[in-house]
Amino acid sequence: MAIDLFLRDGYEAVTVDQIASAAGLSPRSFFRYFTGKEAVFTHMIDDTGSGIAHRLEARPSGEDSWLALRRSFDEVIQMLDDPGRSLPMMRLIYDTPVLYGGHLRKQAQWNELLTAALTARLATTPSDDERLRAGALAAAAVSCFEYARLEWVARDGGRSVAELLDLAMGAVHPLPDR
């Protein structure tokens, strides 16, 4: 409900009272669940990073790590497949500084989650050097995903996020045949 209000009226124009009313809550009850209206928006992506990390952990152990990272984003990409809803939401995030800041903080958390999953994948005895290598790969993959989404929005959904992510990740390091 809150997302519909944000998309219809703009993030800045929507008040906590409006969100609470649309949800059938009093403002006081709203604050039992959320710290503010930004928390309503970021709540939607809270589990995204852990989901990507779990999918990375579930990839076959012999699979190339860069390809495993790419494939771990597939489910998130599927959620973006509805450009009628996803495209306006991503525009809202990119056009609203407080939402974009929260979005980037979440992605920093994704980096940590993917680094942990990738460190375990890369070495039987994780070392500081393996963690650094895993962190660099994770950060590169998350950055490629973010840039693919930015391009997707800039192109008004004209190319799929999957195709744009393949191009971005392939620019950093060739993706092996799937």
Side-chain angles (χ1 to χ4, degrees):
M1 289 178 245
I3 303 306
D4 293 330
L5 290 172
F6 293 148
L7 291 174
R8 186 188 74 208
D9 301 335
Y11 178 80
E12 298 297 334
V14 175
T15 66
V16 167
D17 287 344
Q18 289 172 306
I19 297 168
S21 176
L25 299 171
S26 69
R28 184 176 175 170
S29 294
F30 171 89
F31 285 112
R32 286 189 193 142
Y33 300 101
F34 301 102
T35 57
K37 63 184 185 177
E38 179 190 356
V40 172
F41 209 94
T42 58
H43 175 72
M44 295 181 342
I45 58 173
D46 278 348
D47 296 330
T48 303
S50 59
I52 296 167
H54 290 308
R55 285 186 294 285
L56 176 58
E57 291 166 346
R59 299 297 304 171
S61 61
E63 184 176 46
D64 176 83
S65 293
W66 192 238
L67 180 59
L69 274 164
R70 166 58 189 88
R71 299 270 53 103
S72 66
F73 285 94
D74 283 345
E75 192 172 304
V76 179
I77 290 170
Q78 287 175 351
M79 290 188 296
L80 295 171
D81 274 346
D82 177 11
R85 180 129 174 111
S86 299
L87 204 51
M89 283 180 41
M90 292 309 301
R91 276 196 189 103
L92 182 65
I93 290 170
Y94 293 140
D95 293 343
T96 309
V98 69
L99 294 179
Y100 192 50
H103 177 74
L104 293 175
R105 280 191 304 278
K106 290 291 181 188
Q107 287 187 349
Q109 293 170 354
W110 296 5
N111 285 341
E112 289 304 312
L113 293 167
L114 291 175
T115 296
L118 201 52
T119 300
R121 181 182 180 85
L122 292 174
T124 53
T125 309
S127 67
D128 289 343
D129 288 347
E130 286 301 322
R131 179 165 168 72
L132 174 67
R133 184 169 168 250
L137 287 170
V142 170
S143 292
C144 286
F145 181 63
E146 179 60 13
Y147 199 77
R149 285 191 300 185
L150 279 164
E151 269 301 298
W152 179 68
V153 170
R155 294 175 185 207
D156 203 29
R159 286 181 84 174
S160 73
V161 176
E163 184 180 2
L164 294 169
L165 181 56
D166 286 345
L167 288 170
M169 289 185 77
V172 173
H173 181 75
L175 284 167
D177 292 334
R178 295 164 216 192

